[in-house]
Amino acid sequence: MNKKITQEIKTYIVILLGSVLYAAGTVLFIFPNSLLLGGISGVSVILNKFLPFSPGTLLTVINMSLIVVAFIVLGRDMAVKTLVGSVLTTLSIPLLEKTLVFDAPLISNHYISAVVGALLISVASGMLFYVNSSSGGTDVISLIVQKYSGMNIGKAVLVTDILIVVVGGALSGLTIAISSFIGLLVKTFGIDGVIALIKRLKKDGGTYEK
């Protein structure tokens, strides 16, 4: 098989795995406790307080709207990968919302749930960013910030997400605000850590080539 085709297959497998993992972390640990880690999931949780739609539905609508920006600013290759990652994440979230139904949150403690959810999402986001993809939403803005500023992607995510956490925390109370901010920090530093780890594994003999 052509090396380029093989590499493309590997890339989209990474995007698939990252998208599903992102959705699982969001549905299992973020949405059940109304946590805010920034991004479109955070916006969805905030809007859910005012609109009669589930966070998953709101996320879908917003995410699809932002894909146009990726094509205009990021270029075709990155935009296509972002589109695939966004669509897979967007479809996975409502699907998992319907299939992973529990009587109560898996982790009732907001702080622990924020950390666990953020760790899963940071791993997923790191995988997606490494192959020039994303879960869509404000991650698109993060990719734009990184492209034109050279800022580490984790810091770019922090810049675009912190306002959402502040607004959502103000509306939801101190517990949500503090636990969400802790989760945001875990996600921010986790993303850069995951990307660094992937690059190190590749340098030490991994076969994946970006």
Side-chain angles (χ1 to χ4, degrees):
M1 184 180 295
N2 183 281
K3 184 177 180 180
K4 183 177 180 180
I5 295 177
T6 301
Q7 190 57 45
E8 285 294 299
I9 293 174
K10 289 181 180 180
T11 295
Y12 284 99
I13 288 176
V14 171
I15 293 175
L16 172 62
L17 294 176
S19 299
V20 174
L21 183 59
Y22 191 107
T26 300
V27 171
L28 292 175
F29 302 105
I30 304 306
F31 283 170
N33 288 295
S34 298
L35 297 171
L36 305 151
L37 297 188
I40 295 305
S41 62
V43 174
S44 300
V45 170
I46 295 173
L47 292 178
N48 178 243
K49 297 178 180 297
F50 306 100
L51 300 174
F53 305 103
S54 72
T57 300
L58 292 169
L59 184 146
T60 300
V61 174
I62 299 172
N63 234 354
M64 292 298 97
S65 300
L66 284 172
I67 289 299
V68 177
V69 177
F71 274 93
I72 295 174
V73 180
L74 296 177
R76 183 180 179 278
D77 182 63
M78 190 177 292
V80 168
K81 292 176 182 177
T82 294
L83 174 61
V84 173
S86 175
V87 169
L88 288 174
T89 303
T90 301
L91 293 178
S92 296
I93 286 178
L95 178 62
L96 292 179
E97 277 186 324
K98 294 179 180 179
T99 55
L100 300 177
V101 179
F102 302 95
D103 295 330
L106 289 180
I107 300 177
S108 58
N109 184 288
H110 286 77
Y111 301 100
I112 298 176
S113 187
V115 171
V116 174
L119 285 173
L120 291 176
I121 290 173
S122 65
V123 172
S125 295
M127 293 167 63
L128 291 169
F129 285 136
Y130 182 72
V131 294
N132 291 325
S133 179
S134 80
S135 60
T138 54
D139 284 352
V140 173
I141 302 175
S142 300
L143 287 171
I144 294 172
V145 171
Q146 183 200 38
K147 179 177 180 179
Y148 290 103
S149 71
M151 184 184 299
N152 286 345
I153 193 66
K155 293 179 181 178
V157 170
L158 179 63
V159 169
T160 56
D161 286 350
I162 195 166
L163 180 61
I164 296 170
V165 173
V166 170
V167 173
L171 293 172
S172 304
L174 188 61
T175 298
I176 297 295
I178 295 176
S179 57
S180 295
F181 187 71
I182 291 172
L184 178 59
L185 290 178
V186 171
K187 184 182 79 167
T188 299
F189 292 106
I191 290 173
D192 285 335
V194 169
I195 294 175
L197 178 60
I198 294 174
K199 289 181 178 179
R200 181 176 179 179
L201 291 174
K202 175 186 172 183
K203 182 178 179 181
D204 290 344
T207 57
Y208 183 87
E209 296 181 4
K210 184 176 172 183

